[in-house]
Amino acid sequence: MSSEERRLDYLNVSGKEYVPYVPADKVIPEFTATAIIIGFILAIVFGMANAYLGLKAGMTVSATIPAAVISMGILKGILKRGTILENTVAQSIASSGEAVAAGMIFTVPALFLWGYAPDMMTMTLMALLGGSLGVLLMIPLRRYLIVDEHHNLPYPEGTACAEVLVVGDQGGTGAKTVFAGIGIGAGYKFLMGAMGIWNENPEWPIPGLKGAAIGFDVLPALLGVGFIIGPRAAFTMFAGSFLSWMVLMPLIAYFGSGLTAPVFPATTPISEMDHWDLWSKYIRYIGAGGVAVGGLFSLIKSLPTIFSSFKASLGGLTKGGGSADENLRTQKDMPMSIILIGAVVIFLACAFLPQLHMGVIGGIMVVLFGFFFTTVSSRIVGLIGSSSNPVSGMTIGTLIIVSVLLKAMGFTGIEGMLAALSIGALVCISIAMAGDTSQDLKTAFLVGATPYRQQYALLIGVVASAAVIGWTLTMLNSAYGFGTKELAAPQATLMSLVVKGVIDGSLPWALVGIGASVAVVAELLGISVLAFAVGMYLPIHLNAAIATGGLLSLIMTKVIKNADQLKRRTEEGILLASGLIAGDSLMGVVLALLVYQGVDLSMDMKWGGMLNEVSMGIFVILAIAFLRHCLTYKLDKEN
């Protein structure tokens, strides 16, 4: 059977019978210095990019396939060498950067919002400990989840990445598309954000409807995000924003227009507020209540899968992964002694490092909740993929339980809040990292990589991302501020509200309750409640841009009738979108550094009072060019 036939037939055989693309008896370069260096650099790049994107848009984008394509382009296109297993190592290291960044930005900015900003060393420690825990706890489950359950757990991103790697090894690669997207995204962002040639946030108040406005964040990253998540999710998020900006805010402005005293939590009367004031003082709390309930609904719906996954995973762990031949190169895991030593070191660090605010009780909670949820995460992503993994829901559940337990033990005030958030942060990072580890080990299994080398590669990726994530968060907060319209940080704001609400109860509960009630209505109507609630929380400007990307995806499905062509042109669009996201987000970090250093390159263009219209026109041109490329580029078979 040829390599191509094996590649296309892998889901029709059991894990023990499957013959990988690179057979176990074949040894080729894999864990090389070149692969490690490329992966290390890409982990930093994608970690920083996703940190900015997640704080801006409330979501991160998987780095797995873009990293694989870029490493392929470097190894094959620039260096003119490199094997598929080197690509697999580089991709695994790179994808770790995105996973660590996701766990960090979902939780740690809450500390900044409280005025207790951790120093860079503390954030580095949190990323290292949480990321390493997620990798280590997944390893003993690999044989059961990846090998024994091969025909039951497809691990969508891991399988797709394996396909991309095999296609690249056989001569095809989309690296040019990704690099082009990076260049366009970075150049667009620099001209707009650094030089001020056009405006990033064109907006127009709605005449006769005080408190309402429509606008666009004309960012390439948001266009790319919308294309990747598709029209359904993009339009659902926009609908949530429409409710907030066109219904709730005008209602607040209308009924508050005659008040002369402020309404909590605002400190100025509603009659003196513009639409951004209304969003900041009221809508963010309503949206946070909706997101909290959406996360809990996501968790509740996942409970049967969570418990069955935990039970099945424990069963596989006690069985030791069946009768797989441990002498095969493709079945050798990291030694259990290293895993146990690593887990003990993580516990001791959590328990005794004072900057983590946990103590022995907190260290125990991190290990217990980490073990439960990383085990669950590893299996869930095998069924529904990392993009649908309810990380936020599991983190909210962790924070609620931890906060209640700490309060019952006498931890109150800021002491209890810091302890609960620190525990939740490490568990969140480990959940995200466990999901990523599972996908990467599935990729390794399919292409025939050596498991223990992949596992060390994943830990290297954790180190790479941890080395820069603290600096990145500090820089972004200094330049833009978390919880602002520039960086809304929705998940971190939500985690802050959950912990603060349980520990000291100082929240505008009426607003939170309104948002929770709206989320319940959305659930009863069959709407994707979490996407709708996130849309309620985020500014309409951001979701309008994401909806534009979703519209492009919808147009493609209507224009292209051939299923094979649609699939391949959509893949091209996803590569281009990933490049736009990476280029835009990375330039966002660079611009934050310029702001932090006091460098001003702005030309302060006015365009004769038509700045908003010019900005919108340039964004429309970008969208049309994106769609035109996807519809007209030559498919491989046409070349």
Side-chain angles (χ1 to χ4, degrees):
M1 184 182 290
S2 69
S3 297
E4 179 70 11
E5 290 171 330
R6 284 199 302 271
R7 179 173 72 87
L8 297 175
D9 195 45
Y10 54 75
L11 288 180
N12 295 323
V13 297
S14 70
K16 296 185 181 73
E17 297 171 333
Y18 173 70
V19 179
Y21 181 77
V22 179
D25 58 358
K26 185 176 181 180
V27 178
I28 60 176
E30 182 174 5
F31 198 70
T32 63
T34 302
I36 293 171
I37 292 170
I38 292 173
F40 195 91
I41 294 171
L42 291 179
I44 292 174
V45 167
F46 281 105
M48 294 170 66
N50 271 286
Y52 176 82
L53 178 66
L55 291 166
K56 179 79 176 179
M59 65 186 72
T60 59
V61 176
S62 175
T64 299
I65 291 178
V69 171
I70 291 174
S71 67
M72 241 188 290
I74 295 172
L75 285 167
K76 298 232 179 235
I78 298 175
L79 301 179
K80 304 299 182 183
R81 59 185 177 83
T83 69
I84 187 173
L85 299 191
E86 286 181 289
N87 278 328
T88 307
V89 165
Q91 168 271 319
S92 295
I93 296 173
S95 64
S96 298
E98 177 266 328
V100 170
M104 288 288 287
I105 61 100
F106 284 175
T107 51
V108 173
L111 297 172
F112 288 83
L113 295 174
W114 294 339
Y116 287 86
D119 58 36
M120 294 185 192
M121 180 56 68
T122 300
M123 288 187 280
T124 298
L125 282 171
M126 295 174 79
L128 274 175
L129 296 173
S132 299
L133 186 66
V135 175
L136 295 175
L137 291 179
M138 166 57 199
I139 293 172
L141 299 170
R142 186 197 66 84
R143 289 179 182 273
Y144 173 68
L145 294 178
I146 305 299
V147 180
D148 290 1
E149 290 288 278
H150 167 65
H151 55 293
N152 294 324
L153 299 176
Y155 286 96
E157 288 93 344
T159 298
C161 185
E163 294 279 352
V164 169
L165 289 168
V166 170
V167 168
D169 191 60
Q170 295 174 347
T173 175
K176 289 182 179 179
T177 301
V178 177
F179 281 119
I182 291 174
I184 293 169
Y188 182 108
K189 179 79 170 185
F190 182 80
L191 293 174
M192 176 182 64
M195 302 188 70
I197 295 178
W198 61 91
N199 181 21
E200 180 178 316
N201 313 107
E203 66 175 23
W204 297 267
I206 306 299
L209 198 59
K210 181 177 171 55
I214 186 69
F216 281 78
D217 283 348
V218 291
L219 297 170
L222 300 181
L223 189 73
V225 167
F227 185 87
I228 290 173
I229 67 175
R232 183 176 181 83
F235 295 162
T236 300
M237 291 176 66
F238 180 74
S241 288
F242 193 90
L243 175 66
S244 291
W245 284 69
M246 298 298 176
V247 179
L248 298 181
M249 285 164 54
L251 277 174
I252 294 171
Y254 178 77
F255 287 109
S257 60
L259 299 177
T260 57
V263 177
F264 180 76
T267 57
T268 57
I270 292 175
S271 58
E272 299 177 13
M273 293 183 177
D274 64 10
H275 49 269
W276 281 113
D277 293 326
L278 293 171
W279 173 79
S280 176
K281 299 302 182 183
Y282 298 112
I283 295 301
R284 287 199 305 152
Y285 292 101
I286 295 173
V291 174
V293 169
L296 289 176
F297 272 128
S298 173
L299 181 61
I300 290 168
K301 290 177 181 177
S302 302
L303 283 177
T305 305
I306 286 174
F307 287 118
S308 63
S309 296
F310 187 69
K311 181 179 178 181
S313 298
L314 280 184
L317 183 59
T318 57
K319 289 190 298 183
S323 58
D325 188 348
E326 296 186 10
N327 294 319
L328 288 177
R329 176 185 62 80
T330 52
Q331 293 298 340
K332 291 182 179 179
D333 286 303
M334 185 185 294
M336 183 60 70
S337 58
I338 294 180
I339 296 172
L340 292 175
I341 291 171
V344 170
V345 169
I346 291 170
F347 164 73
L348 293 175
C350 292
F352 297 108
L353 288 176
Q355 57 265 54
L356 296 180
H357 309 287
M358 293 185 199
V360 174
I361 294 174
I364 293 172
M365 289 183 178
V366 166
V367 174
L368 288 179
F369 282 100
F371 175 69
F372 178 77
F373 281 123
T374 56
T375 302
V376 167
S377 179
S378 297
R379 187 176 180 89
I380 285 181
V381 298
L383 294 169
I384 60 177
S386 295
S387 300
S388 302
N389 192 15
V391 175
S392 294
M394 288 188 277
T395 305
I396 291 170
T398 299
L399 285 172
I400 291 174
I401 296 171
V402 167
S403 297
V404 169
L405 291 175
L406 290 176
K407 187 173 184 179
M409 289 184 286
F411 291 88
T412 58
I414 192 63
E415 178 189 10
M417 290 163 56
L418 291 175
L421 201 284
S422 297
I423 294 167
L426 264 67
V427 172
C428 182
I429 297 165
S430 68
I431 293 171
M433 194 64 218
D436 176 75
T437 297
S438 304
Q439 299 289 358
D440 288 337
L441 290 179
K442 183 69 169 186
T443 300
F445 172 73
L446 294 175
V447 301
T450 309
Y452 76 86
R453 288 174 175 155
Q454 291 300 117
Q455 291 151 12
Y456 285 120
L458 288 160
L459 290 174
I460 290 172
V462 170
V463 172
S465 183
V468 298
I469 192 66
W471 175 86
T472 303
L473 292 181
T474 301
M475 194 69 61
L476 291 173
N477 182 62
S478 298
Y480 304 121
F482 297 146
T484 63
K485 64 180 182 180
E486 286 81 12
L487 288 179
Q491 286 90 349
T493 302
L494 170 61
M495 306 306 172
S496 167
L497 295 178
V498 168
V499 173
K500 200 171 183 180
V502 174
I503 297 292
D504 66 10
S506 59
L507 282 177
W509 285 106
L511 296 177
V512 174
I514 290 170
S517 300
V518 172
V520 171
V521 172
E523 177 67 24
L524 293 174
L525 292 174
I527 299 171
S528 177
V529 62
L530 193 55
F532 186 81
V534 169
M536 285 173 58
Y537 177 89
L538 293 172
I540 195 170
H541 308 58
L542 187 147
N543 286 312
I546 291 177
T548 303
L551 178 63
L552 299 184
S553 177
L554 179 63
I555 291 173
M556 282 187 59
T557 63
K558 299 300 182 182
V559 171
I560 303 174
K561 301 302 182 182
N562 181 280
D564 180 61
Q565 280 203 13
L566 177 61
K567 176 178 181 292
R568 296 169 69 191
R569 293 187 186 278
T570 300
E571 289 171 352
E572 176 74 5
I574 290 173
L575 291 177
L576 181 58
S578 298
L580 290 176
I581 292 167
D584 182 345
S585 301
L586 286 172
M587 185 55 66
V589 176
V590 172
L591 297 184
L593 178 60
L594 294 178
V595 171
Y596 183 76
Q597 296 294 332
V599 178
D600 185 6
L601 302 176
S602 177
M603 298 174 62
D604 198 23
M605 298 288 289
K606 300 298 183 183
W607 294 99
M610 297 287 289
L611 181 60
N612 285 345
E613 288 72 17
V614 169
S615 302
M616 197 65 222
I618 292 172
F619 184 68
V620 169
I621 291 171
L622 174 67
I624 293 173
F626 181 101
L627 182 63
R628 183 177 183 277
H629 172 81
C630 294
L631 292 175
T632 61
Y633 91 101
K634 284 186 174 292
L635 297 170
D636 290 342
K637 66 174 65 175
E638 297 172 348
N639 290 335

